[in-house]
Amino acid sequence: MDAIPIYQVDAFAERPFEGNPAAVCFPPVGVGDAWLQRVAAEMNLSETAFLWREGDRGWGLRWLTPATEVDLCGHATLASAHVIWETDRADGDLTFHTRSGALIARRVDGGIELDFPATPPEPTDAPPGLLEALGLDASQVSSVQKTRFDYLVVLEDEAAVRAVRPTMRALAAIDVRGAMVTAPGDGEPDFVSRFFAPGAGVDEDPVTGSAHCALTPYWADALGRTTLRAHQASARGGDLEVALDGDRVRLRGRAVTVLEGTLRAPPNLA
């Protein structure tokens, strides 16, 4: 069996053990979906990225949580670009072909910039059970929004975001990928957020690039600026620079490899 390279990378991080860890795997071409899902479950990180070359068109990229495949993931894409460049698998800009179309990664100012589709939220009523699952009272909520993937709940201030204590089983019962809470930042970040997706196998995600595809257009409109600094206030925490560019969002961050190895679980096990 050919060696199957696999890496663990802390994305949206300046140093190891910060930001959001993702696995990056280069499986054999044509491997089955069941094997991919079992690898993602074994890695037990919020996302495992699977990459393969697509001729001169770039890279195929899929993202799987321990429980399911998702349509868009920022931190595992950042981690993928970091590994490709760090291991000299390619040079220059990268094009990833994904469920969400072509995504571009560029090296900028010592970091990585991702070019992602914006998923602007729209005001909506909170579905039954959402606020209760988040441990919130309606009086604490400034606005409820719905994106392509998630609910977005706007709170008054950063302290309220940090104080949220969801009931994960109740939140998993809501028919949506996940829910984010957000508020203006108290200091350097323009806004803060947290993201919960227990129904997708991720109770609280440390740093969520795809959530910022919705948070960026929301806060760009609310604050009247297209370039913003963001902080995801999870236990590990993570910082992003974000910019709204028409119907696209540019996410900037750094990444650090913390583990490199060989997967010794042959695809015929699935």
Side-chain angles (χ1 to χ4, degrees), residues 130-267:
L130 175 63
L131 299 185
E132 294 83 354
L134 290 169
L136 296 171
D137 183 87
S139 63
Q140 300 173 268
V141 175
S142 301
S143 175
V144 177
Q145 308 268 322
K146 181 71 167 59
T147 79
R148 174 184 167 192
F149 303 116
D150 311 303
Y151 283 101
L152 187 158
V153 179
V154 184
L155 304 181
E156 183 177 347
D157 55 34
E158 182 173 331
V161 169
R162 293 183 180 275
V164 168
R165 297 293 182 269
T167 302
M168 295 301 176
R169 180 173 293 184
L171 193 57
I174 308 277
D175 185 21
V176 70
R177 181 188 71 162
M180 65 193 93
V181 292
T182 187
D186 290 342
E188 182 178 341
D190 294 297
F191 65 90
V192 299
S193 66
R194 293 171 68 193
F195 183 81
F196 311 98
V202 182
D203 282 356
E204 179 168 4
D205 197 33
V207 193
T208 315
S210 63
H212 285 80
C213 293
L215 291 162
T216 300
Y218 176 84
W219 285 110
D221 181 65
L223 299 176
R225 301 201 311 277
T226 57
T227 301
L228 303 161
R229 296 185 66 87
H231 178 72
Q232 193 152 330
S234 64
R236 289 173 66 105
D239 298 305
L240 305 86
E241 298 176 16
V242 300
L244 183 64
D245 183 9
D247 62 355
R248 308 291 292 182
V249 169
R250 302 186 187 276
L251 310 172
R252 286 191 179 188
R254 300 174 188 269
V256 182
T257 301
V258 295
L259 183 151
E260 177 180 353
T262 301
L263 190 61
R264 302 184 68 175

Side-chain angles (χ1 to χ4, degrees), residues 50-62:
F50 295 94
L51 288 154
W52 63 95
R53 290 303 302 257
E54 289 199 343
D56 59 0
R57 297 180 60 245
W59 296 83
L61 173 59
R62 295 171 67 178

Side-chain angles (χ1 to χ4, degrees), residues 25 27 31-50 62-70 99 199-202 263 267 270:
C25 181
V31 68
D33 290 355
W35 184 85
L36 299 180
Q37 188 62 72
R38 291 181 71 176
V39 171
E42 182 76 10
M43 297 308 296
N44 200 31
L45 299 170
S46 58
E47 305 285 348
T48 296
F50 295 94
R62 295 171 67 178
W63 312 278
L64 280 78
T65 77
T68 190
E69 185 167 5
V70 298
R99 283 186 170 192
V202 182
L263 190 61

